[in-house]
Amino acid sequence: KQEVTQIPAALSVPEGENLVLNCSFTDSAIYNLQWFRQDPGKGLTSLLLIQSSQREQTSGRLNASLDKSSGRSTLYIAASQPGDSATYLCAVLRSGGGADGLTFGKGTHLIIQP
Amino acid sequence: NAGVTQTPKFQVLKTGQSMTLQCAQDMNHEYMSWYRQDPGMGLRLIHYSVGAGITDQGEVPNGYNVSRSTTEDFPLRLLSAAPSQTSVYFCASRGQGGQPQHFGDGTRLSIL
């Protein structure tokens, strides 16, 4: 059974810092990995999608990397802003077997202090 | 382009009542899925569908039924609601290949 772990569970940093959120998964047979952002009481916003054959993806101040063999992904946020405060979720899509659906980590709750 | 639409947004039920959570997508996506989100448990997969007429169970399927008669719609049915089913429910869809998942805004369900 796939298990996804996100570390740290919570993080509070001053505005302007660069930071790294970590995600690990136990089964390397994944199709892709997706990072989401969730604001309190809201739905999920997709940030970045990395295919299993890719090493990294970038969007603005966000960079996500993937090391499938070691079961790890990181989300790098540059020059953090108070508006980045949210919960960040990592999820993997299983490869093959005719199945579907994501397996999620429990998230990193991020607070950026003004 | 509406994306993934979930209705209702909020619902309160009494134990034993039945209801259907609606999910519709207008992106012609083959794959659709339902999740529930609970504090401390994260998001967990309830049921999924890989195309019209094909559904299967996820991690927490007990107490829920689904069907997929059209590509666009994937309703989730609670036949006899229980307080343990109080949760936020999200529907998602994706296209073929390694396409990203698109999520609806969720349905907040309380069972009294």
Side-chain angles (χ1 to χ4, degrees):
Chain A
K1 176 188 172 186
Q2 178 74 270
E3 293 185 1
V4 179
T5 303
Q6 291 189 244
I7 295 174
L11 183 62
S12 180
V13 300
E15 178 178 6
E17 284 200 6
N18 303 324
L19 53 99
V20 175
L21 309 183
N22 296 291
C23 172
S24 62
F25 47 95
T26 56
D27 186 347
S28 62
I30 65 168
Y31 205 111
N32 56 40
L33 183 146
Q34 199 166 352
W35 282 93
F36 296 89
R37 168 188 174 135
Q38 186 176 32
D39 294 292
K42 302 296 185 181
L44 280 70
T45 300
S46 181
L47 297 173
L48 289 165
L49 172 72
I50 311 177
Q51 303 297 343
S52 61
S53 59
Q54 296 176 324
R55 296 286 293 182
E56 66 178 274
Q57 284 286 334
T58 298
S59 175
R61 294 183 294 109
L62 304 179
N63 175 277
S65 68
L66 174 65
D67 184 342
K68 197 177 85 163
S69 61
S70 68
R72 296 180 186 276
S73 176
T74 62
L75 178 67
Y76 176 82
I77 303 176
S80 58
Q81 304 171 357
D84 295 331
S85 297
T87 295
Y88 290 79
L89 298 166
C90 164
V92 297
L93 179 65
R94 187 168 70 181
S95 174
D100 196 61
L102 295 171
T103 302
F104 280 86
K106 294 182 179 179
T108 294
H109 180 55
L110 177 63
I111 296 174
I112 308 298
Q113 306 155 11
Chain B
N1 193 347
V4 179
T5 303
Q6 291 184 238
T7 57
K9 294 189 183 304
F10 303 92
Q11 185 70 49
V12 179
L13 292 179
K14 294 181 179 178
T15 298
Q17 287 186 317
S18 63
M19 83 160 294
T20 299
L21 279 63
Q22 302 291 346
C23 176
Q25 52 90 10
D26 61 0
M27 297 172 281
N28 201 33
H29 285 169
E30 290 293 322
Y31 300 88
M32 297 186 74
S33 49
W34 276 102
Y35 302 82
R36 59 178 289 173
Q37 185 174 34
D38 303 291
M41 300 297 293
L43 282 112
R44 293 177 292 170
L45 180 66
I46 305 172
H47 284 284
Y48 65 91
S49 170
V50 299
I54 307 170
T55 65
D56 206 343
Q57 297 180 350
E59 181 184 356
V60 288
N62 292 341
Y64 307 95
N65 283 347
V66 292
S67 61
R68 184 99 180 269
S69 57
T70 68
T71 298
E72 294 78 18
D73 300 297
F74 190 41
L76 179 72
R77 298 183 183 85
L78 285 71
L79 297 180
S80 180
S84 61
Q85 293 178 304
T86 293
S87 188
V88 181
Y89 292 86
F90 289 99
C91 178
S93 74
R94 72 174 178 94
Q96 300 241 355
Q99 295 298 310
Q101 300 271 356
H102 298 261
F103 279 78
D105 290 337
T107 294
R108 284 153 183 78
L109 182 62
S110 292
I111 315 294
L112 304 178

